[in-house]
Amino acid sequence: MLQQSRRLVCRSPRGALLAPRLAQLAVRRSPTFPSRSLRSLSTSTVADAVPIPERSSAARAHGSFYVSEVLPIQLARWDFRPYLGTLLEEGLLEHLNAITADVTAHGFRVESWEIARKDGGVFCHFSYVPPQQVESTATTADSAAATNIASSAYAAKQFLPLLADAARKHGGWPRWLGSWWAQRMDQRGAGGRIDSEAGHRLYAAFRSAETVGAEGDEVAVQGSGHGLGSSSVAGGGRVWVVRGRQWTEDMSRFPSNRLRVEFDGPDVSQEVLYILFRPYGRLTDIVPPSPVPAGSLRYAVVVYSRMAPATIAINCLHGYATPLNTAELVRLQAGGPAPPALSRLRIYFERPLKAHAIRDWISGHPRIALPVLAFLIGTLSYTFFDPIRAFFVRSKVEGVWDLENYTILNRASYDKAKLTTGIRQKLSSSSLNIFGSSPAKAQDTVGQNAWRDREEAERSVERWLSEYPSTFITISGPPGSGKTSLVTRVIKKPPSHDQPRPALVIDCADIGKAKSDGALISALADQTGYYPVFSFLSSLNGLIDLASVGLIGQKAGFSTPVDQQLRAILEVVGGALKDVSVRSEEDRQQAIANAKDQIELQAEKQRRQELIIRGGWHDGRLDCVAGNGVMSELGLGEEPVADADMSEPNPTVEPRPVALATADTVSAEAEAIKTLPIVVLKNFAQKTAKGDLWNVLAEWGASLVENQVAHVIVVTEGPTATKALTKALPAKPLNSVSLADADEANSLAYIRDKLAGNDISTEDASQVAKLGGRMVDLETLVYKVKTGTTIREAVDDFVSRTVVELRKSAFGDDSKDAKNLPWSRAQAWKVVSELAKHGEVSYAFLLQDFPFKGAEASLKALEEHELVSVTYVDGRASRLKPGKPVYRYAFEALVNDAVFKASCQIDYNTVLLGKAEADIKAVEAELSALKDITADGGDEALGVSRSSWLGLGKSSAIRDRARWLLEKLQKNVDKVHKLEADNAEQVKVLAAGRA
């Protein structure tokens, strides 16, 4: 009886240290191994001994099979499937051991099992007793290559069919997903491998792998010669012969369908590579070797259509020594002598995507990559961030984040205001009255009594807002004239009116203060509710474009001009305003539908009540209890109830009127206009802003008006803003409202109301008149008087402060500061002296004489700095006035300051003297030229007689010209004498330090 021993061998890296311990567990067992024979062994390595023939163990040959796809193939480090496979290793190895235990031919014995964890396969290391012819072949071969081919061919021919039969008896080769999945995949693999051998086959169901036809009439299949039949040596199905040297490693190299085949020797032809690698699966490409640095091995790249064949090939062919061409390979497989040169194959997985491939491609193609990257970033912003930004803009317009729009908070605010009003009333009745009238009364006074002339302007704005938008609504006026309060009253109606219309107020003054592109974008986004905004990317994109210019010679397109960024923000805001209008219209239509439903329900209820009174109403629910027809006393019967069957209507009960919504009572167009939002551009174009801000805002507002998306109200302090507006809407006139300072009567009424309880004398009234109707100045006066200052002292202090302010802003602190002003000191003194004397001057007349002749830009600069104001008639500049009413008295104070007047007058006279001296020299030069004409004999040609100098005795053009020049010369000489005398007097004033 043959004794069978069981030897435990550990080949995997993890189980190598366990080999001594596992070897102690060897025991004698019967030829049949129980299913629990592997439970006490390592899940990585199990070796089973089969009956050993009586021949010496030294004569045994060794080989290895590779069983593929037993465990999952690990795709990357994050792939968790191999960890699940470790839980099934013991059962899978038992199944494999049971299959191999049925093969006993030629002393077949499994020496060990070794798991290739990353590749998902299992190595079966076995030994057998080769026949005499194999041994003789092995001993007479000239090289190890012939021995290897002979033993591989013998193992494949003898054991693979036996293993296949044994696997079928045990339900097939195991897989980690179960027997059903294994059978399904094996069937698919069998069907898919009908033509999987190398070459071109015509059929698969024939008796010979290389012939086709009936018996006796076989025809060889074309393309299936010796070089194309290597599948008999390599293996098939899921069991493959290991022809090379096994290399199992646990590095972070994961399988792929690309194999890097290095040649440790001369290059191998593509035909040989195809014959060697094709049996394991379909090849899609073979990349031939390319030049490599000196000292490196040349390599080719073999690409499989799937990953599983690549894992089989690398485990079966790594370290295999192969001939260099097809002829040598065929001769070697036929048993011929070994070729003189062999090349050993070293195979590694090639990553499908090389490390840093994307980065390298981008750095190598910046002209393509950078614009595409900019486009992708813009697309991401458009598709992801713009809807979020539109939501925040709509929320701002609709007042979602405004706490005052919520009823609970409004109630709390009302209670707080009521409590504050009571405290004010108590304090006002005492001697500590410093508050004056209540806020509500003050607001009413400002809105009605003191500013009665604003009522017409307010009605005009309301009338324009009740129509479809067609142009801008401009409200202009000096500071403190009530522009903002007028717009606020129009937008926020009292509770007796409809709900306030959605409005977006943009304070252009805050936007115009920005000093950088990022600050400008952030300010506009903050005013419009545009969120999120990444303003810091503006400078970063500029740096990227600057770097791209140095790299590729052109900008990559990351940075965009600030004007385009502003337009992009406003485009999103415009879309959000359109959505607000659409949603408001939908809510209005829904409200109308609900109202109609309520009216119909009310009419039905009224009709039902009338039928109940007359006895013609029957509740069908009673039939469920009392039945119907003649059997029921409560039933109504089967006959229909006519009007004659019911009682007469009660004349004392009159039907209530039902309000029906008709087209006559409700104007659909007017209601639709009320849903349009209002955009208010406050403080528009008052000062110079960075970039083309005012034109961008004007163009955006024009698009809203032309598309009837929203009404646009522009609030500005002067008519200079109309330039940008008319440029945006050149074909349509503006709906303009101009507000001026209040007259003397309204200003005095306002002061008396604010200072209730204080007597205002005639002298005080005259002092108040100096401030005019400017709201800001009047509020300052009220504050000073409430703190204990008299009206006269407050006005004098206000005028003195204004004088100091004007002296600095109009004339500069010193000569160096004056050079930085957009006007000269002579021009400023001319305006100050004329307005102090007359109060207002003609704009056109001022431009006709020195120092403003040909210098209209200086007047515009004075208007821009609010030192003067210009009134317009039909769009034409007409009169020049002080910038504030109090400025006239400040101008008078400057003129009455003898020292300041003397210094300014000397500067003014000096400029005039220089101009007069230049005119005198020009006249003298022309007179000298005329004299030369007559002295050279040109008198007769010119019609001038020699009897008198320059021919003054006769009529000639030279005589008239000379007389005019002499008169002009005399005027300039007199002017010079007069200016020099005035300068001498002014110098005396400066010397004395007083007038």
Side-chain angles (χ1 to χ4, degrees):
M1 179 177 179
L2 295 177
Q3 299 293 330
Q4 179 181 2
S5 64
R6 179 168 182 168
R7 297 183 299 107
L8 305 179
V9 182
C10 188
R11 297 290 181 87
S12 68
R14 191 180 70 176
L17 299 177
L18 301 178
R21 174 58 181 164
L22 294 177
Q24 300 175 3
L25 301 178
V27 295
R28 292 180 176 271
R29 294 186 181 272
S30 62
T32 303
F33 293 98
S35 60
R36 58 183 180 85
S37 59
L38 297 177
R39 296 187 182 273
S40 62
L41 304 181
S42 169
T43 57
S44 299
T45 306
V46 178
D48 296 321
V50 296
I52 302 175
E54 297 178 356
R55 298 186 59 180
S56 175
S57 59
R60 299 182 65 85
H62 295 270
S64 297
F65 289 138
Y66 178 77
V67 184
S68 63
E69 302 179 61
V70 178
L71 296 171
I73 300 175
Q74 186 172 4
L75 302 178
R77 188 182 300 275
W78 46 262
D79 192 356
F80 65 92
R81 296 178 305 159
Y83 301 100
L84 299 178
T86 56
L87 303 177
L88 306 173
E89 286 181 1
E90 184 175 350
L92 295 174
L93 291 176
E94 287 182 357
H95 193 169
L96 291 174
N97 188 69
I99 293 174
T100 56
D102 292 346
V103 179
T104 59
H106 301 285
F108 181 85
R109 183 178 66 195
V110 176
E111 299 291 342
S112 64
W113 295 97
E114 184 174 352
I115 298 176
R117 298 188 180 278
K118 291 189 299 182
D119 300 336
V122 177
F123 288 97
C124 176
H125 303 296
F126 64 92
S127 64
Y128 63 97
V129 178
Q132 189 65 32
Q133 61 271 21
V134 176
E135 292 183 357
S136 61
T137 304
T139 55
T140 58
D142 297 334
S143 66
T147 303
N148 188 15
I149 292 179
S151 61
S152 299
Y154 177 79
K157 181 177 180 181
Q158 296 296 330
F159 301 124
L160 287 181
L162 299 177
L163 290 174
D165 294 338
R168 281 193 294 271
K169 293 179 182 179
H170 290 79
W173 296 101
R175 287 180 185 264
W176 69 287
L177 289 176
S179 59
W180 176 84
W181 183 259
Q183 294 176 3
R184 180 179 177 86
M185 296 305 296
D186 290 342
Q187 292 175 1
R188 178 180 299 181
R193 290 192 180 92
I194 290 177
D195 60 345
S196 63
E197 294 188 4
H200 306 278
R201 296 202 173 271
L202 303 179
Y203 299 96
F206 35 74
R207 292 175 301 279
S208 174
E210 300 178 359
T211 60
V212 64
E215 293 185 6
D217 297 327
E218 295 89 347
V219 179
V221 178
Q222 296 295 329
S224 59
H226 295 286
L228 303 178
S230 60
S231 61
S232 60
V233 179
R238 291 178 54 198
V239 182
W240 307 88
V241 179
V242 178
R243 304 168 65 183
R245 296 180 179 178
Q246 174 194 349
W247 181 38
T248 304
E249 44 82 18
D250 58 352
M251 295 183 289
S252 297
R253 297 179 180 178
F254 300 101
S256 69
N257 64 328
R258 300 169 60 90
L259 297 178
R260 176 191 177 108
V261 183
E262 295 183 353
F263 305 130
D264 190 0
D267 292 349
V268 179
S269 66
Q270 296 188 44
E271 292 84 353
V272 174
L273 292 177
Y274 183 84
I275 295 173
L276 293 177
F277 286 88
R278 180 59 179 85
Y280 305 106
R282 182 178 177 273
L283 297 175
T284 59
D285 191 16
I286 297 178
V287 181
S290 59
V292 296
S296 301
L297 297 179
R298 290 168 61 84
Y299 65 91
V301 177
V302 177
V303 183
Y304 280 95
S305 59
R306 296 186 304 115
M307 188 182 299
T311 59
I312 300 173
I314 194 172
N315 285 284
C316 294
L317 291 179
H318 180 79
Y320 177 69
T322 178
L324 307 182
N325 51 59
T326 308
E328 295 178 353
L329 180 62
V330 171
R331 186 167 54 250
L332 183 61
Q333 290 181 349
L342 294 176
S343 182
R344 189 172 297 278
L345 304 181
R346 304 188 183 278
I347 309 175
Y348 311 96
F349 286 116
E350 181 83 0
R351 291 185 179 180
L353 183 63
K354 295 183 179 180
H356 312 298
I358 298 178
R359 184 190 66 183
D360 296 341
W361 188 90
I362 291 176
S363 60
H365 304 80
R367 293 178 180 269
I368 301 175
L370 293 181
V372 170
L373 184 60
F375 172 76
L376 294 177
I377 294 175
T379 303
L380 176 64
S381 175
Y382 180 78
T383 56
F384 180 74
F385 288 109
D386 282 0
I388 299 176
R389 293 161 177 165
F391 166 76
F392 281 103
V393 173
R394 288 196 305 268
S395 301
K396 182 178 179 65
V397 175
E398 296 174 349
V400 175
W401 315 118
D402 190 359
L403 300 180
E404 295 181 357
N405 294 334
Y406 295 94
T407 306
I408 298 177
L409 296 177
N410 283 338
R411 181 63 181 175
S413 300
Y414 174 77
D415 295 339
K416 181 179 179 181
K418 186 176 180 181
L419 178 62
T420 305
T421 303
I423 296 175
R424 286 177 179 272
Q425 290 177 353
K426 291 182 179 180
L427 291 176
S428 62
S429 61
S430 63
S431 59
L432 299 176
N433 180 16
I434 60 174
F435 294 100
S437 58
S438 63
K441 184 178 180 181
Q443 181 64 27
D444 181 73
T445 302
V446 173
Q448 302 296 330
N449 298 332
W451 313 111
R452 294 184 184 274
D453 54 345
R454 272 60 168 175
E455 295 179 358
E456 182 62 29
E458 186 173 336
R459 285 193 293 269
S460 299
V461 175
E462 290 179 353
R463 184 176 68 256
W464 292 328
L465 291 178
S466 63
E467 304 171 354
Y468 275 112
S470 60
T471 185
F472 291 107
I473 301 175
T474 61
I475 302 176
S476 60
S481 59
K483 303 183 297 297
T484 303
S485 60
L486 186 149
V487 174
T488 303
R489 289 196 302 272
V490 170
I491 295 177
K492 297 182 178 180
K493 291 295 183 182
S496 60
H497 291 70
D498 296 335
Q499 293 294 329
R501 298 175 61 174
L504 177 63
V505 181
I506 301 176
D507 192 353
C508 301
D510 293 342
I511 303 175
K513 295 177 183 178
K515 301 301 181 182
S516 62
D517 295 346
L520 183 65
I521 295 172
S522 299
L524 180 60
D526 182 66
Q527 291 293 324
T528 57
Y530 183 89
Y531 179 84
V533 59
F534 309 105
S535 58
F536 65 92
L537 293 179
S538 178
S539 57
L540 180 62
N541 292 336
L543 294 176
I544 294 176
D545 272 352
L546 183 62
S548 66
V549 171
L551 290 174
I552 63 178
Q554 63 183 12
K555 292 185 177 181
F558 277 88
S559 64
T560 55
V562 64
D563 298 342
Q564 294 185 13
Q565 298 182 47
L566 296 177
R567 288 186 174 90
I569 294 176
L570 295 176
E571 182 179 358
V572 175
V573 176
L577 293 174
K578 180 65 175 179
D579 294 341
V580 170
S581 177
V582 172
R583 292 177 60 180
S584 300
E585 178 64 17
E586 292 176 353
D587 294 342
R588 186 185 69 84
Q589 294 292 344
Q590 185 64 33
I592 293 175
N594 294 337
K596 290 182 178 180
D597 294 340
Q598 292 296 330
I599 292 173
E600 293 177 358
L601 290 176
Q602 183 180 358
E604 177 64 22
K605 183 178 180 180
Q606 185 174 345
R607 186 187 67 83
R608 187 182 304 169
Q609 290 177 353
E610 182 181 356
L611 290 176
I612 292 174
I613 295 174
R614 297 179 62 186
W617 173 257
H618 172 67
D619 192 350
R621 292 174 295 180
L622 294 176
D623 296 339
C624 298
V625 180
N628 51 18
V630 296
M631 60 176 291
S632 174
E633 296 179 357
L634 299 177
L636 189 64
E638 297 179 354
E639 296 82 5
V641 179
D643 189 60
D645 298 332
M646 296 183 293
S647 62
E648 295 295 331
N650 189 359
T652 60
V653 179
E654 298 181 356
R656 289 177 293 179
V658 178
L660 297 178
T662 61
D664 297 334
T665 58
V666 179
S667 176
E669 183 177 357
E671 293 296 329
I673 293 175
K674 289 182 180 180
T675 61
L676 296 178
I678 300 175
V679 177
V680 180
L681 300 178
K682 188 171 65 174
N683 300 323
F684 180 77
Q686 290 185 188
K687 296 182 180 180
T688 304
K690 185 176 180 60
D692 200 15
L693 175 64
W694 308 131
N695 289 332
V696 171
L697 288 175
E699 293 173 2
W700 174 66
S703 66
L704 296 180
V705 169
E706 290 178 342
N707 297 324
Q708 296 184 350
V709 174
H711 291 278
V712 180
I713 300 177
V714 180
V715 182
T716 181
E717 293 184 0
T720 54
T722 58
K723 292 183 178 180
L725 300 180
T726 53
K727 182 180 179 181
L729 282 177
K732 296 180 181 179
L734 305 178
N735 294 332
S736 301
V737 171
S738 297
L739 302 181
D741 294 322
D743 54 17
E744 183 177 349
N746 285 332
S747 300
L748 188 58
Y750 175 75
I751 293 297
R752 284 175 176 172
D753 182 78
K754 283 288 188 178
L755 300 177
N758 296 340
D759 296 332
I760 299 179
S761 61
T762 305
E763 182 181 0
D764 292 338
S766 63
Q767 294 295 326
V768 172
K770 292 183 178 181
L771 301 181
R774 189 64 56 89
M775 181 66 181
V776 178
D777 299 342
L778 294 178
E779 287 288 349
T780 305
L781 176 62
V782 170
Y783 173 77
K784 289 181 176 292
V785 173
K786 287 182 178 181
T787 56
T789 308
T790 63
I791 293 180
R792 182 180 182 84
E793 291 175 351
V795 172
D796 291 342
D797 180 69
F798 197 87
V799 172
S800 62
R801 288 176 179 273
T802 305
V803 169
V804 176
E805 177 186 346
L806 286 175
R807 186 180 290 115
K808 180 179 181 180
S809 60
F811 297 94
D813 290 334
D814 49 25
S815 58
K816 183 178 180 180
D817 191 17
K819 292 180 180 179
N820 297 326
L821 297 175
W823 57 81
S824 63
R825 283 186 171 182
Q827 292 172 334
W829 178 249
K830 177 68 175 180
V831 171
V832 168
S833 58
E834 291 292 334
L835 293 180
K837 186 186 299 183
H838 304 290
E840 62 180 37
V841 294
S842 173
Y843 186 89
F845 176 77
L846 198 61
L847 292 176
Q848 300 304 317
D849 196 6
F850 176 83
F852 287 102
K853 188 173 184 179
E856 188 176 3
S858 299
L859 271 182
K860 294 295 184 182
L862 289 170
E863 182 187 14
E864 182 180 347
H865 286 73
E866 301 178 0
L867 297 177
V868 297
S869 62
V870 180
T871 59
Y872 290 79
V873 177
D874 297 332
R876 173 182 56 83
S878 175
R879 308 292 294 179
L880 190 72
K881 297 180 180 181
K884 295 181 180 179
V886 73
Y887 276 4
R888 179 178 180 183
Y889 301 95
F891 291 162
E892 291 178 355
L894 289 175
V895 172
N896 294 332
D897 186 350
V899 176
F900 182 77
K901 177 182 178 181
S903 61
C904 291
Q905 193 65 41
I906 290 175
D907 294 339
Y908 184 78
N909 292 342
T910 302
V911 178
L912 288 178
L913 282 173
K915 184 176 181 302
E917 292 290 347
D919 292 342
I920 290 174
K921 291 181 180 180
V923 170
E924 290 175 350
E926 188 172 355
L927 289 175
S928 178
L930 293 176
K931 180 180 179 182
D932 293 339
I933 292 175
T934 58
D936 294 339
D939 52 344
E940 296 181 356
L942 296 173
V944 181
S945 174
R946 292 179 179 271
S947 60
S948 61
W949 183 69
L950 292 178
L952 296 179
K954 297 182 179 181
S955 176
S956 67
I958 294 180
R959 179 193 61 193
D960 295 338
R961 179 65 178 174
R963 182 181 292 113
W964 180 82
L965 289 174
L966 290 175
E967 291 176 355
K968 184 177 181 180
L969 181 62
Q970 184 63 43
K971 291 179 180 179
N972 283 299
V973 170
D974 295 341
K975 187 177 182 179
V976 168
H977 289 307
K978 183 179 179 180
L979 291 174
E980 289 180 348
D982 189 16
N983 281 348
E985 294 294 331
Q986 300 299 332
V987 170
K988 294 180 181 179
V989 174
L990 293 177
R994 56 184 177 84

